[in-house]
Short mmCIF file of all heavy atoms in Angstrom, two decimals:
data_model
loop_
_atom_site.label_atom_id
_atom_site.label_comp_id
_atom_site.label_asym_id
_atom_site.label_seq_id
_atom_site.Cartn_x
_atom_site.Cartn_y
_atom_site.Cartn_z
N VAL A 1 -12.67 8.54 8.09
CA VAL A 1 -12.42 7.10 7.98
C VAL A 1 -11.62 6.80 6.72
O VAL A 1 -10.68 5.98 6.73
CB VAL A 1 -13.75 6.32 7.99
CG1 VAL A 1 -13.52 4.84 7.73
CG2 VAL A 1 -14.47 6.51 9.33
N VAL A 2 -11.97 7.44 5.61
CA VAL A 2 -11.25 7.23 4.35
C VAL A 2 -9.81 7.75 4.44
O VAL A 2 -8.88 7.14 3.90
CB VAL A 2 -12.00 7.89 3.18
CG1 VAL A 2 -11.15 7.88 1.91
CG2 VAL A 2 -13.32 7.17 2.93
N THR A 3 -9.62 8.86 5.15
CA THR A 3 -8.27 9.39 5.32
C THR A 3 -7.37 8.40 6.05
O THR A 3 -6.20 8.20 5.67
CB THR A 3 -8.31 10.72 6.09
OG1 THR A 3 -9.01 11.69 5.30
CG2 THR A 3 -6.91 11.24 6.39
N ALA A 4 -7.90 7.75 7.08
CA ALA A 4 -7.12 6.73 7.79
C ALA A 4 -6.78 5.57 6.86
O ALA A 4 -5.67 5.01 6.91
CB ALA A 4 -7.89 6.24 9.01
N LEU A 5 -7.72 5.21 5.99
CA LEU A 5 -7.48 4.15 5.00
C LEU A 5 -6.37 4.57 4.04
O LEU A 5 -5.46 3.78 3.74
CB LEU A 5 -8.77 3.87 4.23
CG LEU A 5 -8.67 2.96 2.99
CD1 LEU A 5 -8.29 1.55 3.40
CD2 LEU A 5 -10.01 2.96 2.23
N ASP A 6 -6.43 5.79 3.57
CA ASP A 6 -5.41 6.29 2.65
C ASP A 6 -4.03 6.31 3.31
O ASP A 6 -3.02 5.94 2.70
CB ASP A 6 -5.78 7.69 2.17
CG ASP A 6 -4.79 8.23 1.15
OD1 ASP A 6 -4.80 7.75 0.01
OD2 ASP A 6 -3.99 9.12 1.52
N GLU A 7 -3.98 6.72 4.57
CA GLU A 7 -2.71 6.73 5.29
C GLU A 7 -2.16 5.31 5.43
O GLU A 7 -0.94 5.09 5.38
CB GLU A 7 -2.90 7.38 6.66
CG GLU A 7 -3.16 8.87 6.59
CD GLU A 7 -3.57 9.45 7.93
OE1 GLU A 7 -3.75 8.66 8.90
OE2 GLU A 7 -3.72 10.68 8.03
N SER A 8 -3.04 4.34 5.61
CA SER A 8 -2.62 2.95 5.70
C SER A 8 -1.94 2.50 4.41
O SER A 8 -0.92 1.79 4.44
CB SER A 8 -3.83 2.04 5.99
OG SER A 8 -3.48 0.69 5.95
N VAL A 9 -2.49 2.92 3.28
CA VAL A 9 -1.87 2.58 1.99
C VAL A 9 -0.45 3.14 1.93
O VAL A 9 0.50 2.44 1.52
CB VAL A 9 -2.72 3.12 0.83
CG1 VAL A 9 -1.99 2.97 -0.50
CG2 VAL A 9 -4.06 2.41 0.77
N GLY A 10 -0.27 4.37 2.36
CA GLY A 10 1.06 4.97 2.38
C GLY A 10 2.01 4.21 3.30
O GLY A 10 3.18 4.01 2.96
N THR A 11 1.51 3.79 4.44
CA THR A 11 2.32 3.03 5.39
C THR A 11 2.83 1.72 4.78
O THR A 11 4.01 1.35 4.93
CB THR A 11 1.50 2.71 6.65
OG1 THR A 11 1.15 3.94 7.30
CG2 THR A 11 2.28 1.84 7.62
N ILE A 12 1.96 1.03 4.07
CA ILE A 12 2.32 -0.26 3.47
C ILE A 12 3.34 -0.08 2.35
O ILE A 12 4.32 -0.83 2.25
CB ILE A 12 1.06 -0.98 2.96
CG1 ILE A 12 0.07 -1.22 4.10
CG2 ILE A 12 1.44 -2.29 2.28
CD1 ILE A 12 0.66 -1.82 5.34
N VAL A 13 3.14 0.91 1.50
CA VAL A 13 4.07 1.13 0.39
C VAL A 13 5.45 1.52 0.93
O VAL A 13 6.48 1.05 0.44
CB VAL A 13 3.52 2.20 -0.58
CG1 VAL A 13 4.51 2.45 -1.71
CG2 VAL A 13 2.17 1.75 -1.15
N GLN A 14 5.46 2.35 1.97
CA GLN A 14 6.74 2.72 2.57
C GLN A 14 7.43 1.51 3.21
O GLN A 14 8.65 1.36 3.12
CB GLN A 14 6.53 3.81 3.63
CG GLN A 14 6.44 5.21 3.08
CD GLN A 14 7.79 5.77 2.69
OE1 GLN A 14 8.83 5.14 2.87
NE2 GLN A 14 7.79 6.97 2.11
N ALA A 15 6.66 0.63 3.85
CA ALA A 15 7.23 -0.57 4.46
C ALA A 15 7.86 -1.46 3.40
O ALA A 15 8.95 -2.04 3.61
CB ALA A 15 6.15 -1.33 5.23
N LEU A 16 7.21 -1.59 2.26
CA LEU A 16 7.77 -2.38 1.16
C LEU A 16 9.07 -1.75 0.64
O LEU A 16 10.02 -2.46 0.32
CB LEU A 16 6.75 -2.49 0.02
CG LEU A 16 5.51 -3.35 0.31
CD1 LEU A 16 4.45 -3.12 -0.77
CD2 LEU A 16 5.87 -4.83 0.37
N ARG A 17 9.10 -0.44 0.59
CA ARG A 17 10.32 0.25 0.14
C ARG A 17 11.47 0.02 1.12
O ARG A 17 12.60 -0.26 0.69
CB ARG A 17 10.04 1.77 -0.01
CG ARG A 17 11.26 2.59 -0.39
CD ARG A 17 11.69 2.30 -1.80
NE ARG A 17 12.92 2.99 -2.16
CZ ARG A 17 14.13 2.44 -2.12
NH1 ARG A 17 14.28 1.19 -1.74
NH2 ARG A 17 15.19 3.14 -2.47
N ARG A 18 11.19 0.14 2.41
CA ARG A 18 12.24 -0.06 3.41
C ARG A 18 12.80 -1.48 3.37
O ARG A 18 13.99 -1.70 3.61
CB ARG A 18 11.71 0.25 4.81
CG ARG A 18 11.49 1.72 5.10
CD ARG A 18 11.31 1.97 6.57
NE ARG A 18 10.20 1.21 7.12
CZ ARG A 18 8.94 1.64 7.17
NH1 ARG A 18 8.65 2.85 6.67
NH2 ARG A 18 7.98 0.90 7.69
N ALA A 19 11.93 -2.44 3.08
CA ALA A 19 12.35 -3.84 3.03
C ALA A 19 12.95 -4.21 1.68
O ALA A 19 13.27 -5.39 1.45
CB ALA A 19 11.15 -4.75 3.34
N ASP A 20 13.09 -3.24 0.80
CA ASP A 20 13.63 -3.46 -0.55
C ASP A 20 12.78 -4.47 -1.32
O ASP A 20 13.31 -5.28 -2.10
CB ASP A 20 15.09 -3.92 -0.48
CG ASP A 20 15.81 -3.76 -1.82
OD1 ASP A 20 15.42 -2.88 -2.61
OD2 ASP A 20 16.75 -4.54 -2.08
N MET A 21 11.47 -4.43 -1.12
CA MET A 21 10.56 -5.36 -1.78
C MET A 21 9.68 -4.67 -2.83
O MET A 21 9.07 -5.34 -3.66
CB MET A 21 9.66 -6.04 -0.74
CG MET A 21 10.40 -6.94 0.22
SD MET A 21 9.39 -7.45 1.65
CE MET A 21 8.06 -8.33 0.84
N LEU A 22 9.64 -3.35 -2.79
CA LEU A 22 8.71 -2.63 -3.65
C LEU A 22 9.03 -2.83 -5.13
O LEU A 22 8.13 -2.92 -5.97
CB LEU A 22 8.72 -1.14 -3.30
CG LEU A 22 7.73 -0.24 -4.03
CD1 LEU A 22 6.29 -0.71 -3.80
CD2 LEU A 22 7.89 1.21 -3.59
N LYS A 23 10.32 -2.93 -5.46
CA LYS A 23 10.72 -3.03 -6.86
C LYS A 23 10.30 -4.34 -7.50
O LYS A 23 10.33 -4.47 -8.73
CB LYS A 23 12.23 -2.84 -6.99
CG LYS A 23 13.05 -3.87 -6.23
CD LYS A 23 14.52 -3.53 -6.25
CE LYS A 23 15.36 -4.51 -5.43
NZ LYS A 23 16.77 -4.11 -5.37
N ASN A 24 9.91 -5.32 -6.70
CA ASN A 24 9.44 -6.60 -7.24
C ASN A 24 8.07 -6.94 -6.65
O ASN A 24 7.83 -8.06 -6.22
CB ASN A 24 10.44 -7.72 -6.93
CG ASN A 24 10.08 -9.02 -7.66
OD1 ASN A 24 9.59 -9.01 -8.78
ND2 ASN A 24 10.32 -10.14 -7.00
N SER A 25 7.20 -5.95 -6.62
CA SER A 25 5.87 -6.14 -6.04
C SER A 25 4.77 -5.72 -6.99
O SER A 25 4.96 -4.85 -7.84
CB SER A 25 5.73 -5.34 -4.73
OG SER A 25 6.53 -5.88 -3.70
N ILE A 26 3.63 -6.37 -6.83
CA ILE A 26 2.39 -5.97 -7.50
C ILE A 26 1.43 -5.55 -6.40
O ILE A 26 1.14 -6.33 -5.49
CB ILE A 26 1.79 -7.15 -8.30
CG1 ILE A 26 2.75 -7.61 -9.39
CG2 ILE A 26 0.44 -6.75 -8.91
CD1 ILE A 26 2.35 -8.94 -10.03
N ILE A 27 0.95 -4.33 -6.45
CA ILE A 27 0.01 -3.83 -5.44
C ILE A 27 -1.32 -3.55 -6.13
O ILE A 27 -1.39 -2.75 -7.07
CB ILE A 27 0.52 -2.54 -4.77
CG1 ILE A 27 1.91 -2.77 -4.16
CG2 ILE A 27 -0.45 -2.08 -3.69
CD1 ILE A 27 2.53 -1.51 -3.59
N VAL A 28 -2.36 -4.20 -5.66
CA VAL A 28 -3.71 -4.00 -6.19
C VAL A 28 -4.54 -3.31 -5.12
O VAL A 28 -4.63 -3.80 -3.99
CB VAL A 28 -4.37 -5.33 -6.58
CG1 VAL A 28 -5.77 -5.08 -7.15
CG2 VAL A 28 -3.52 -6.10 -7.58
N PHE A 29 -5.13 -2.19 -5.46
CA PHE A 29 -6.08 -1.52 -4.56
C PHE A 29 -7.45 -1.61 -5.18
O PHE A 29 -7.63 -1.32 -6.37
CB PHE A 29 -5.71 -0.05 -4.34
CG PHE A 29 -6.68 0.67 -3.44
CD1 PHE A 29 -6.52 0.62 -2.07
CD2 PHE A 29 -7.77 1.35 -3.97
CE1 PHE A 29 -7.44 1.25 -1.23
CE2 PHE A 29 -8.69 1.98 -3.14
CZ PHE A 29 -8.52 1.93 -1.76
N MET A 30 -8.44 -2.00 -4.38
CA MET A 30 -9.81 -2.13 -4.90
C MET A 30 -10.83 -2.01 -3.79
O MET A 30 -10.51 -2.11 -2.60
CB MET A 30 -9.98 -3.50 -5.58
CG MET A 30 -9.97 -4.67 -4.62
SD MET A 30 -10.32 -6.25 -5.41
CE MET A 30 -8.71 -6.64 -6.07
N SER A 31 -12.07 -1.82 -4.19
CA SER A 31 -13.21 -1.91 -3.28
C SER A 31 -13.99 -3.16 -3.60
O SER A 31 -14.06 -3.59 -4.76
CB SER A 31 -14.11 -0.69 -3.41
OG SER A 31 -15.20 -0.77 -2.51
N ASP A 32 -14.57 -3.78 -2.58
CA ASP A 32 -15.32 -5.02 -2.81
C ASP A 32 -16.66 -4.78 -3.49
O ASP A 32 -17.18 -5.65 -4.18
CB ASP A 32 -15.52 -5.79 -1.50
CG ASP A 32 -16.33 -5.02 -0.46
OD1 ASP A 32 -16.48 -3.78 -0.59
OD2 ASP A 32 -16.80 -5.65 0.51
N ASN A 33 -17.23 -3.61 -3.32
CA ASN A 33 -18.48 -3.22 -3.97
C ASN A 33 -18.67 -1.73 -3.79
O ASN A 33 -17.82 -1.07 -3.19
CB ASN A 33 -19.69 -3.99 -3.40
CG ASN A 33 -19.72 -4.06 -1.89
OD1 ASN A 33 -19.47 -5.11 -1.30
ND2 ASN A 33 -19.99 -2.95 -1.24
N GLY A 34 -19.78 -1.20 -4.29
CA GLY A 34 -20.02 0.22 -4.18
C GLY A 34 -20.39 0.66 -2.78
O GLY A 34 -20.56 -0.16 -1.86
#
């Protein structure tokens, strides 16, 4: 399950790069609790 989550993060960052948006983006990754 965590691997699928990690792959999702990669998908989003790549999408931002393709759209030429990554260079002006703030990406926050967090968990809501333990």
Side-chain angles (χ1 to χ4, degrees):
V1 174
V2 170
T3 295
L5 170 66
D6 183 73
E7 291 170 355
S8 174
V9 171
T11 297
I12 301 311
V13 179
Q14 278 284 357
L16 290 167
R17 176 69 185 98
R18 287 194 302 271
D20 197 27
M21 295 167 61
L22 185 58
K23 60 188 177 185
N24 189 35
S25 291
I26 299 168
I27 304 175
V28 181
F29 179 86
M30 69 175 82
S31 180
D32 62 343
N33 46 252

